[in-house]
Amino acid sequence: MSNRSNAGSWGRNRCPTHPDTPLIEDYRAGDTVCPECGLVVGDRVIDVGSEWRTFADDHGSDPSRVGSAENPLLSGDLSTTVVFSGDNYDMIRAQNRIAGNSQDRQLLHAFSEIRLMAGRLNAPQTIIDRANSLFKRMSDTKALRRMSSEANCAACLYIACAQEGARRTFREICAVCNVSKKQISKSFKLIVRVLNTNVEAATAADLMSRFCSRLELPYKAQTVAVHVAKEAGELDIVAGKTAATIASTAIYFTTLVMGINKSTQEISDIAGVAEATIKQTFRTLLDTKDKLLPPDFVSVIPLDSLHSIR
């Protein structure tokens, strides 16, 4: 009879021939072996390693099969849940009330909302992480209890975009969620006040690169549009206009003087600014049109002809 088949009669914790010798556990084979005589004194040892091959070196970490990585923003409180089935509504409601940490459930739901919105904006992971951190900090203060959860998520994402140097307008944030600009603005003001954080107002230059890229404009057009927007601001002829309005109008002005065929409809769709607003702001630029362009710029059309454009 083989050593393996007789192992059970000798016990699993020691070798009958060398009882004082520490045993070796071979997880790959699932055996417990005596190093002195090679006797298999136990089998069916559970392998706690990974279920896949790893090509990491000896100092590398082996992938774990015990679930996803711990989220440092959550409490990490694990609890056992007894699942009830059937139509016993009271028992199911009691289970939902006690299962897990309620704050963690709310955070997980918020993080999921933020990730979904960020995905629609093509925002990178750094922005998602910052937005999650902002929401967690606000959640700890209990200041968001009476506010719309989705609006809070959207406001955190707006702030995260600004702090990471990838600004989005309120209108762009509204386009990826189901709450109004007014609700997001309300949550934004609350977060800024409670966390005492500084979010500088967006400028036309902050939005120009993305708008021009999506309109497939050459880099020179972007440079000229940035100059036009800057000069218009310094001349105080676009006071009270939003950054998106100034940027879209500067782009429209630039495409005209460079002979690039872009309609107000195309610019409106990209910038999220109404066509009427772009045209109205464009008309305010005409009185100072000679001062808006770079000194070395040569327009492909007479600047006076801009007055005839409707």
Side-chain angles (χ1 to χ4, degrees), residues 235-255:
L235 293 172
D236 200 28
I237 56 179
V238 287
K241 304 295 184 180
T242 66
T245 298
I246 298 172
S248 57
T249 304
I251 290 172
Y252 181 56
F253 183 93
T254 300
T255 57

Side-chain angles (χ1 to χ4, degrees), residues 154-220:
C156 288
L157 184 59
Y158 174 83
I159 296 173
C161 288
Q163 293 179 343
E164 289 293 325
R167 290 184 178 275
R168 298 293 191 275
T169 64
F170 276 121
R171 188 181 293 273
E172 288 177 292
I173 299 295
C174 286
V176 298
C177 63
N178 297 315
V179 290
S180 65
K181 177 182 176 181
K182 182 178 180 181
Q183 289 176 290
I184 299 175
S185 178
K186 185 177 180 181
S187 293
F188 165 76
K189 292 176 182 177
L190 176 64
I191 294 171
V192 170
R193 186 178 74 250
V194 173
L195 297 184
N196 194 27
T197 186
N198 182 32
V199 180
E200 296 182 359
T203 65
D206 295 327
L207 308 175
M208 199 71 74
S209 175
R210 188 169 74 259
F211 289 175
C212 290
S213 176
R214 295 177 65 184
L215 286 166
E216 299 181 347
L217 297 178
Y219 180 73
K220 182 179 179 181

Side-chain angles (χ1 to χ4, degrees), residues 82-99:
V82 179
V83 178
F84 298 97
S85 60
D87 299 327
N88 193 329
Y89 176 75
D90 292 336
M91 296 298 285
I92 295 175
R93 186 174 60 177
Q95 171 192 323
N96 292 336
R97 186 168 59 250
I98 66 176

Side-chain angles (χ1 to χ4, degrees), residues 217 221 224-225 227-229 231-232 237 245-260 262-264 267 278-279 281-294 297 299-304 306-307 309:
L217 297 178
V224 174
H227 189 276
V228 170
E231 292 299 316
I237 56 179
T245 298
I246 298 172
S248 57
T249 304
I251 290 172
Y252 181 56
F253 183 93
T254 300
T255 57
L256 289 175
V257 297
M258 291 185 67
I260 300 174
K262 291 293 177 181
S263 66
T264 53
I267 299 174
I278 295 175
K279 292 178 180 179
T281 308
F282 168 74
R283 286 193 288 270
T284 65
L285 302 182
L286 296 181
D287 291 338
T288 55
K289 57 184 179 299
D290 298 325
K291 302 177 181 179
L292 299 178
L293 296 168
F297 180 81
S299 175
V300 299
I301 64 172
L303 294 182
D304 289 337
L306 294 174
H307 291 275
I309 297 176

